Amino acid sequence: MTSDLTDDLLALKTETDAALAAATDLRAWDSIRIAVLGRNGTLTGLLRDLGKTPAEQRRERGAALNRLKDALNEAIEGRKSALEAAALDERLASERIDPTLPARPRETGLIHPISRTIEEIAAIFGAMGCTIIEGPDVESDWHNFTALNIPEHHPARADHDTFYLPAQDGKPPPVLRTQTSPVQIRTMLTQPPPIRVIVTGRTYRADHDATHSPMFHQCEGLIIDRNLHLGHLKGCLIDFLRTFFGISDLPVRFRSSYFPFTEPSMEVDIGWNRRTGDLGGGGDWLEILGSGMVHPRVLANCGIDPREWQGFAWGMGVERITMLKHGMTDLRPFYESDLRWLRHYGFNPLMPTMLHEGV
Ligand code: DAH
């Protein structure tokens, strides 16, 4: 098609082809297009000059220019398509996604099951108007025992497998608190009734096997008000246990018991199936916490008049209710910092405890 072009036109075609071949991107390509076909382009100039061609040559020159124009258009458009296809290939290669690779979620820390249970306890009792408080791990003998109506030489002291610290100033030796109950005493000594508090924290007893650790956690509750009776205690704990375990008809049984600091005292059992370990039905009972009406002597020890104020209290093991809720059988991994266990039983920190969604 271009074989019958005059030399000058053929030269333009050859030159343009070479420039197009050298253009490696669309920007370079576009400047060639403008240089040839643009308003001041070479071909445009040649077409404009056609009028100056002597009349006898004009027809032939015009026809040749038209053929050149077609050939150039074709070459320029062809190069554009090639460059666009190459650019697309390059993008596809650089943005390639391999859908067969397993997704790799971002590493985030997880909430330890003990912390999670404490958050849940705080959410439930918080909704009942309780404040969460803490107390010291090293306690005086008086706060841990005597003020709680466990006098010296009382057999209840022997049950606690207490860790004693060296005695000072002739006073009874301080202890690593064996229960969170001394924080009841600290609260009543510093806060006038009515009182609604929850205590969570570490407790210590010299005991170690699959279900006992020398350090463990307890959660304690103390409510002091006027005209309180056993019905309040029962309603409060039934509501807590059903919300915490997420079983709205969880059977709850109150069984008469003994604690020096409550009168009457009750142990609280929940229904479960001993064979399968399932909570709820099954007809068996599992002891879950201790409770009772605060002993008048304990109120009096803290300067609260038991004729005007009554109280109820309870205490439970945080590890124990955590293990039951999540079907864990061994207590020891709670403190072993084994990342595989923590990843399995840990909780997503972005999913906080929400009472209205059920804890
Ligand atoms: N302190 C008790 C224990 O460690 C648990 C307990 C029982 C706490 C009855 C209480 C209560 O506040 O009223 O075994």
Side-chain angles (χ1 to χ4, degrees):
M1 194 169 109
T2 49
S3 53
D4 48 357
L5 291 177
T6 53
D7 287 350
D8 62 334
L9 301 191
L10 200 54
L12 175 58
K13 173 72 172 65
T14 315
E15 199 182 292
T16 308
D17 282 345
L20 284 172
T24 51
D25 59 35
L26 286 167
R27 274 182 67 151
W29 167 86
D30 200 44
S31 49
I32 298 166
R33 183 185 63 83
I34 291 167
V36 179
L37 305 177
R39 196 140 47 90
N40 300 317
T42 3
L43 180 71
T44 319
L46 289 171
L47 287 166
R48 202 181 298 126
D49 290 345
L50 190 60
K52 296 182 205 153
T53 310
E56 60 279 15
Q57 292 165 19
R58 199 176 297 154
R59 222 178 98 91
E60 207 178 313
R61 177 79 174 168
L65 277 173
N66 270 332
R67 284 199 300 280
L68 174 65
K69 188 177 164 190
D70 289 344
L72 285 173
N73 268 328
E74 194 181 317
I76 287 171
E77 285 311 310
R79 184 64 183 148
K80 184 186 184 193
S81 306
L83 285 173
E84 280 174 346
L88 182 63
D89 282 349
E90 197 178 313
R91 230 181 84 198
L92 287 177
S94 70
E95 292 177 4
R96 201 178 71 181
I97 295 170
D98 182 349
T100 64
L101 274 181
R104 274 163 292 186
R106 203 151 46 94
E107 281 272 316
T108 52
L110 297 170
I111 303 291
H112 192 284
I114 297 280
S115 305
R116 174 69 182 193
T117 295
I118 290 175
E119 283 174 7
E120 292 179 357
I121 290 169
I124 299 170
F125 286 118
M128 297 187 200
C130 294
T131 307
I132 314 296
I133 53 167
E134 291 182 348
D137 288 18
V138 176
E139 264 299 4
S140 75
D141 181 273
W142 186 80
H143 287 91
N144 194 82
F145 294 119
T146 313
L148 285 161
N149 200 31
I150 318 176
E152 247 172 280
H153 311 301
H154 191 286
R157 288 197 181 214
D159 297 340
H160 279 208
D161 300 311
T162 313
F163 288 110
Y164 288 95
L165 280 80
Q168 273 172 348
D169 311 327
K171 285 196 244 155
V175 299
L176 284 178
R177 65 177 177 191
T178 59
Q179 48 188 352
T180 42
S181 307
V183 190
Q184 289 190 28
I185 302 299
R186 291 183 175 275
T187 308
M188 288 188 278
L189 286 173
T190 52
Q191 206 172 303
I195 293 172
R196 290 186 185 194
V197 290
I198 296 294
V199 186
T200 57
R202 284 186 279 271
T203 46
Y204 306 84
R205 291 185 196 181
D207 207 353
H208 202 190
D209 60 34
T211 54
H212 295 87
S213 150
M215 187 283 297
F216 59 107
H217 296 75
Q218 281 191 346
C219 163
E220 186 96 9
L222 174 70
I223 314 286
I224 307 276
D225 213 324
R226 294 188 173 91
N227 306 317
L228 282 186
H229 53 73
L230 269 182
H232 295 109
L233 181 163
K234 291 174 78 172
C236 174
L237 292 179
I238 291 171
D239 274 1
F240 166 73
L241 291 168
R242 291 185 172 164
T243 311
F244 177 78
F245 288 110
I247 303 172
S248 59
D249 58 353
L250 180 71
V252 180
R253 178 172 80 170
F254 291 81
R255 184 167 37 78
S256 171
S257 183
Y258 171 75
F259 298 103
F261 34 87
T262 45
E263 182 58 37
S265 303
M266 294 183 298
E267 266 162 323
V268 183
D269 303 336
I270 58 171
W272 77 317
N273 185 325
R274 190 183 299 279
R275 201 175 43 79
T276 61
D278 290 339
L279 300 180
D284 299 314
W285 292 106
L286 185 65
E287 181 200 319
I288 206 105
L289 59 87
S291 67
M293 301 304 291
V294 179
H295 197 296
R297 207 174 293 147
V298 173
L299 293 173
N301 285 344
C302 301
I304 295 179
D305 183 351
R307 286 164 303 185
E308 186 183 353
W309 301 97
Q310 295 76 48
F312 64 88
W314 67 91
M316 60 192 147
V318 175
E319 283 80 351
R320 180 160 164 73
I321 60 171
T322 306
M323 288 168 74
L324 286 170
K325 180 165 178 172
H326 303 293
M328 303 160 166
T329 49
D330 193 341
L331 175 72
R332 288 166 290 201
F334 275 100
Y335 318 110
E336 282 170 352
S337 301
D338 182 338
L339 283 179
R340 291 163 305 173
W341 186 90
L342 291 168
R343 286 201 185 101
H344 181 79
Y345 285 111
F347 289 87
N348 185 344
L350 300 177
M351 305 240 291
T353 301
M354 296 282 207
L355 250 198
H356 63 276
E357 291 170 4
V359 296

